[in-house]
Amino acid sequence: MNTELFGIIASFALMLVIGIPLGKYLAKMFAGEKVWTDFMKPLENGIYKLSGINPNEPMNWKQFLKAMMCINLLWLVYGFFVLMYQDKLPLNPDGNPGMTADLAFNTIISFVVNCNLQHYSGESGASYLIQHFIFMFLHFVSAATGIACAVGLFKAFRDKTTNDIGNFWNYFIKAITRLLLPLSAIIALILTFNGTPSSYAGKDQFISLQGDTVHVSRGPAAQMIAIKHLGTNGGGWFGANSAHPLENPNYLTNMVEITSQMIIPIAMVLCFGYFIRRKKLGWVIFGVMMIGALLLLIPSIGSETGGNPAIAKMGIIQPTGAMEGKEVRFGPTATAYWSTFTTIVSTGSVNGMHDSTMALTGLWQLLGMMINGFFGGCGVGVLNYFIYLIIAVFISGLMVGRTPEFLGHKVEAREVKIAALITLLSPFLIMAGTAIAAYVFTNHGNAAWAVKPSAWLNNPGFHGFSEMLYEMTSANANNGSGFEGLGDNNIFWNVSTGIVMLLGRFLPIIGPVAIAGLLGQKKFIPESAGTLKTDTVTFGLMTFAVILVLNALSYFPALALGPIAEFFSLK
């Protein structure tokens, strides 16, 4: 227990030691100031020249979003057909079959939107070609898309009044060449030297302790695992994700992987403050997010280390805590730590089975994804928090009887309407999706489908409802983790979560960038004695209260039917 606590404290300190200076570096790099990675300019210029792109061309918010949506649509279309015909393509030593149309639809959307909700099983569902040149490629570009859109929002507030929010392609390419590529190379080397496969060899076999012949997939896993965490993607090379001994061999790799998935979300928050020359605002936002993260983390650790009451009633002592679904090499404390951070950011990777965690741990996992604003994914976490910020500014303005302002720009009806629509989007997608699934399961369980709805759930009752709620919540938050007692590889779940992922990814990007672009165009109003200061602890607490109230009102009824009811049923 003490060793586990030391491990998570050390990894927490490490993510701060790396994330804070990284935020300062990103602010300078995206602002065009001189940084040590300027040696990448020739490579970047070659990419621009080959693509016919002018990286210095100014873009307004509409042009910026148009560029972003066009390239993402291209990845969706070509990736869909490659997944369907992977059995006819090279680099498939294990002979994996092509995906069905509905599974390919879900999978390509999942990787394009940085979700990685894997309804196939890792190494047995995708060839080396797909894993490396489709999924790993999308790990890089989906993360870079979120980062680029966040920097576009930053640019709108850097100048007093502007139509130019920067060039999407400039931010996008720099995010890859000067951030994601160098760091993922370092992480991949650490994983490789600790036993993670990194070759193109096919399956190996060995004799287990039981005397069975076991066939184990290999492949260039270390490279993909590095960027899946750094880019807050989460899709594993192996079906068991980072609970697999080859994907996460030991406690050192466990610390490296959990740290790597947090450093960019932390850095982007601080980058915001440094980029717009309001460092205090960045630190206030960081403080609010960190308080929220710790309020989810601490009870999760307590829940897992306290053991399972159902097992305790049998007279069984649980000195290490609730071990169901945990890897012995990590234990419940490190698993609870991972499960909290992987759900507050959009990574969704797992080093233990979330479906086996205690009821209240499942509650905190769900709440982290529902809020989706405590650090969040690469870039998009800041965008999600910005919506809460605008709502808080609007409410605060009403309370003091002044026109709401943010960073010298009036927040008027149009901006508030966009923020309100984005705020309502997540509850609608999650609740409507879960309600439809529950209705179909309850009333049409024996429908003559390829997979009958009655076969979806291995766990009836409250936990079964939680499994369906978790799947829709994970899809909307672009997280990708799951309660895997749910049978999700069928046409209902593939299509429904595919649609939820698309809407849950792009509308919460379009909304904040549009608001920032609209505010940036407005006349700058200098601060006066009556100006609401948004970089104070008081306003930070106000924003935190807005986050709590909005999410409590939106999600408490559903949570009461799932994990909360399950918790009381175990007493």
Side-chain angles (χ1 to χ4, degrees):
M1 178 66 179
N2 291 334
T3 304
E4 286 191 69
L5 284 174
F6 175 78
I8 66 172
I9 291 170
S11 60
F12 182 80
L14 183 61
M15 69 175 64
L16 295 179
V17 167
I18 298 173
I20 291 171
L22 183 62
K24 297 178 183 179
Y25 158 76
L26 292 179
K28 289 183 178 181
M29 184 264 287
F30 285 121
E33 299 177 20
K34 188 175 181 180
V35 291
W36 67 272
T37 51
D38 284 344
F39 71 89
M40 299 295 288
K41 278 185 178 180
L43 173 62
E44 294 162 359
N45 290 335
I47 295 172
Y48 297 139
K49 188 174 181 179
L50 183 65
S51 306
I53 291 170
N54 177 9
N56 299 315
E57 179 183 1
M59 290 183 173
N60 60 33
W61 66 271
K62 293 180 181 178
Q63 294 168 322
F64 192 99
L65 290 173
K66 180 181 177 181
M68 183 272 293
M69 290 300 297
C70 284
I71 192 65
N72 276 266
L73 180 62
L74 174 65
W75 298 328
L76 278 171
V77 172
Y78 92 81
F80 173 75
F81 291 103
V82 174
L83 293 179
M84 287 184 64
Y85 297 104
Q86 69 167 333
D87 56 323
K88 297 175 175 61
L89 297 170
L91 291 177
N92 190 9
D94 297 338
N96 292 333
M99 293 186 180
T100 60
D102 58 294
L103 179 58
F105 171 81
N106 181 278
T107 303
I108 192 59
I109 290 174
S110 181
F111 280 84
V112 167
V113 304
N114 198 250
C115 181
N116 301 185
L117 187 74
Q118 295 173 288
H119 286 180
Y120 68 97
S121 181
E123 69 275 29
S124 63
S127 67
Y128 291 178
L129 177 76
I130 298 299
Q131 296 261 47
H132 216 181
F133 297 102
I134 299 296
F135 295 162
M136 184 174 163
F137 167 76
L138 291 173
H139 280 163
F140 278 97
V141 297
S142 64
T145 296
I147 293 169
C149 290
V151 179
L153 182 144
F154 300 170
K155 178 66 169 61
F157 298 109
R158 183 178 173 88
D159 303 317
K160 291 184 177 180
T161 301
T162 183
N163 288 317
D164 176 22
I165 68 168
N167 187 285
F168 172 79
W169 306 114
N170 182 26
Y171 300 150
F172 175 77
I173 295 297
K174 282 184 175 179
I176 296 173
T177 58
R178 302 190 183 205
L179 176 62
L180 298 173
L181 268 176
L183 289 180
S184 61
I186 295 170
I187 297 166
L189 284 172
I190 295 172
L191 295 177
T192 300
F193 282 114
N194 278 273
T196 300
S198 58
S199 72
Y200 284 90
K203 287 183 178 179
D204 197 1
Q205 67 178 43
F206 69 94
I207 306 299
S208 71
L209 293 175
Q210 297 176 188
D212 299 326
T213 300
V214 180
H215 297 274
V216 181
S217 294
R218 293 183 288 181
Q223 301 91 310
M224 177 174 162
I225 296 163
I227 184 58
K228 86 163 188 177
H229 285 117
L230 184 66
T232 63
N233 299 277
W237 182 276
F238 298 97
N241 209 278
S242 285
H244 195 287
L246 294 183
E247 189 155 321
N248 190 6
N250 53 49
Y251 207 96
L252 173 62
T253 59
N254 192 70
M255 288 179 63
V256 170
E257 290 181 23
I258 185 60
T259 300
S260 62
Q261 62 187 282
M262 287 299 299
I263 55 176
I264 293 179
I266 288 173
M268 288 301 294
V269 173
L270 299 176
C271 173
F272 179 41
Y274 284 101
F275 189 92
I276 66 173
R277 307 181 187 95
R278 291 175 179 263
K279 293 184 288 185
K280 188 178 178 182
L281 176 60
W283 281 105
V284 168
I285 295 173
F286 172 82
V288 171
M289 290 184 175
M290 188 56 71
I291 290 171
L294 292 175
L295 287 176
L296 295 173
L297 171 63
I298 294 170
S300 292
I301 293 175
S303 179
E304 293 304 311
T305 55
N308 189 325
I311 295 178
K313 289 178 182 178
M314 299 167 64
I316 299 174
I317 300 173
Q318 304 170 75
T320 58
M323 283 300 295
E324 180 190 339
K326 313 293 192 303
E327 292 296 304
V328 175
R329 65 190 187 278
F330 303 138
T333 304
T335 305
Y337 178 72
W338 183 301
S339 76
T340 300
F341 281 117
T342 201
T343 46
I344 62 170
V345 299
S346 68
T347 309
S349 64
V350 298
N351 70 345
M353 298 300 106
H354 286 195
D355 198 31
S356 294
T357 54
M358 299 306 300
L360 287 186
T361 307
L363 168 67
W364 308 127
Q365 292 164 359
L366 280 163
L367 198 55
M369 292 186 290
M370 289 167 171
I371 293 172
N372 207 19
F374 294 151
F375 296 111
C378 285
V380 295
V382 180
L383 298 179
N384 292 334
Y385 187 90
F386 180 72
I387 293 296
Y388 291 123
L389 205 60
I390 293 299
I391 298 294
V393 166
F394 174 68
I395 294 174
S396 300
L398 294 178
M399 291 171 67
V400 299
R402 285 177 57 92
T403 301
E405 295 175 14
F406 181 66
L407 299 180
H409 304 278
K410 287 186 177 182
V411 179
E412 297 176 303
R414 183 164 48 171
E415 294 82 39
V416 175
K417 287 177 181 177
I418 295 173
L421 287 173
I422 300 302
T423 301
L424 294 172
L425 175 70
S426 290
F428 172 74
L429 292 176
I430 293 170
M431 300 305 169
T434 306
I436 293 170
Y439 173 80
V440 172
F441 175 79
T442 304
N443 295 283
H444 300 282
N446 293 317
W449 296 356
V451 178
K452 290 185 177 182
S454 59
W456 289 350
L457 301 178
N458 290 331
N459 301 280
F462 304 126
H463 192 75
F465 178 81
S466 294
E467 288 175 343
M468 295 189 288
L469 177 64
Y470 195 107
E471 188 76 1
M472 287 297 176
T473 303
S474 181
N476 173 73
N478 290 165
N479 185 270
S481 61
F483 276 4
E484 296 307 331
L486 175 70
D488 48 24
N489 186 11
N490 55 69
I491 192 167
F492 175 86
W493 288 105
N494 284 336
V495 173
S496 62
T497 55
I499 294 169
V500 170
M501 284 187 287
L502 273 177
L503 297 175
R505 167 69 166 183
F506 291 111
L507 292 181
I509 287 179
I510 292 170
V513 173
I515 292 172
L518 293 169
L519 291 176
Q521 296 170 6
K522 296 182 179 182
K523 182 180 177 181
F524 180 80
I525 303 170
E527 285 190 3
S528 64
T531 299
L532 174 68
K533 294 185 181 296
T534 55
D535 59 357
T536 63
V537 174
T538 301
F539 184 77
L541 294 174
M542 174 66 182
T543 308
F544 187 73
V546 167
I547 293 172
L548 291 183
V549 171
L550 287 177
N551 285 281
L553 292 174
S554 299
Y555 299 117
F556 180 78
L559 294 172
L561 291 173
I564 295 175
E566 182 185 358
F567 169 74
F568 285 109
S569 70
L570 292 173
K571 290 293 184 181

